[in-house]
Amino acid sequence: MTGVWALVGALAVAGALAVLLKVREGRISRRTTPSADLPAPVRELLTPGVTLVQLSTTFCAPCRHAKVLLRDLADRTEGLTHAELDVTNLPDVTTRLGIMRTPTTLALASDGTEILRVGGVPKRDSLLDALRPHLP
Amino acid sequence: MPQDLPVDPRGPRFSAWMTTVILAVVLLTGWWRLLAAQTVLFAMCAFISLKLNPWGHVYRFAIQPRLAPTTEREEAAPLRFAQGVGFVFALVGTLGYATGLTTLGQVATGLALVAALLNAAVGLCLGCEMYLLLRRYAPANARPQ
């Protein structure tokens, strides 16, 4: 009988996680990380405009979808550049940036100040709306 | 470790549904030998090749020909990593059931089922999502390279 309850519990947990992750997917959070705290491998990717730095790992299935979306967005938007950083073997970078999952995308100003970050595959329109005040 | 080519993403989803069914049967019956077989399957896919997954062959021969073709492909590395995470939970579950620690077996099997169901139903790879967390807290000599 406990097996039935274990199954019901597992199904409930799966359902709750699915809803939670769906809600969090592509959510934009704003924070102002000082540019001095930016790890060197991320700083090297900065461009004169806004840079979308996508942090990925080898084991991340949705990173490919995020890359396609962000690359296309950058290609069509003036002043916006996309760069991908594989952090599979860079745990210090993710720890310093406080990143728990991939893909996570950082929008960085030319001086390295963090404008916003997106967890999961971004939603194109809401990301563009959030970036618009920082674009030429 | 041999490299696998990218795969049709619908294949792993089908495989995840079959894994979900197997793990549900284990939870309902406590049949630990079935869980042991699933553990071996996880290990073969994670540490040898995804081609050893029999559900992949069922998908290719019985289901894929009935579906519209797709050019979409999914990299093998995340799939193999997920199989490795499944292996750990299934192994703990098997040991729990086999040694009389039924609650441990049920909890571990339940967690594996949660991951398999999320993968099957919404295409979410829980193990892949948690890679950074797993890496952060894994012992240095157990970290994947």
Side-chain angles (χ1 to χ4, degrees):
Chain A
M1 190 61 195
T2 54
V4 175
W5 289 113
L7 177 58
V8 171
L11 294 177
V13 169
L17 272 177
V19 171
L20 179 70
L21 292 167
K22 185 80 177 170
V23 168
R24 291 187 59 180
E25 184 75 3
R27 195 164 69 177
I28 294 170
S29 60
R30 288 176 175 78
R31 59 178 74 191
T32 47
T33 303
S35 59
D37 290 348
L38 210 58
V42 177
R43 183 174 290 283
E44 288 166 7
L45 300 171
L46 294 177
T47 60
V50 174
T51 310
L52 295 174
V53 178
Q54 178 191 333
L55 303 171
S56 304
T57 63
T58 310
F59 307 107
C60 166
C63 288
R64 197 166 59 91
H65 300 291
K67 180 164 78 174
V68 171
L69 187 148
L70 294 174
R71 186 171 285 173
D72 182 63
L73 185 67
D75 286 346
R76 293 165 187 265
T77 310
E78 191 186 346
L80 189 64
T81 309
H82 169 247
E84 187 176 18
L85 180 64
D86 187 340
V87 293
T88 307
N89 293 308
L90 299 174
D92 295 343
V93 170
T94 56
T95 303
R96 275 183 65 183
L97 292 170
I99 286 167
M100 300 289 194
R101 63 182 293 209
T102 54
T104 292
T105 304
L106 309 177
L108 301 169
S110 56
D111 65 353
T113 305
E114 184 178 326
I115 300 167
L116 56 84
R117 64 175 59 187
V118 188
V121 179
K123 295 181 176 71
R124 187 189 181 93
D125 292 341
S126 51
L127 176 59
L128 195 54
D129 285 346
L131 289 174
R132 219 178 286 282
H134 304 276
L135 295 170
Chain B
M1 188 183 289
Q3 297 287 314
D4 283 319
L5 295 172
V7 300
D8 177 348
R10 297 170 299 184
R13 295 284 285 272
F14 171 73
S15 182
W17 275 119
M18 300 312 295
T19 305
T20 301
V21 171
I22 289 170
L23 295 173
V25 170
V26 170
L27 277 181
L28 289 174
T29 63
W31 187 15
W32 69 267
R33 286 177 179 81
L34 179 62
L35 186 57
Q38 179 62 52
T39 307
V40 172
L41 188 55
F42 276 139
M44 290 194 307
C45 293
F47 306 125
I48 304 175
S49 171
L50 291 173
K51 290 176 184 164
L52 297 175
N53 186 349
W55 303 121
H57 293 284
V58 172
Y59 172 78
R60 255 192 309 284
F61 293 113
I63 298 173
Q64 194 178 37
R66 300 168 196 271
L67 301 176
T70 178
T71 55
E72 195 179 345
R73 288 291 178 270
E74 188 167 350
E75 293 295 328
L79 299 172
R80 289 183 66 163
F81 179 73
Q83 296 288 308
V85 175
F87 165 74
V88 172
F89 282 112
L91 181 64
V92 172
T94 302
L95 293 174
Y97 279 115
T99 57
L101 299 171
T102 308
T103 303
L104 175 66
Q106 287 174 335
V107 169
T109 307
L111 290 172
L113 189 145
V114 168
L117 182 56
L118 283 173
N119 195 348
V122 293
L124 181 92
C125 172
L126 200 57
C128 307
E129 291 270 341
M130 294 176 64
Y131 170 74
L132 293 179
L133 280 175
L134 296 174
R135 166 139 196 166
R136 190 172 295 180
Y137 297 111
N141 59 359
R143 289 172 182 167
Q145 297 301 307

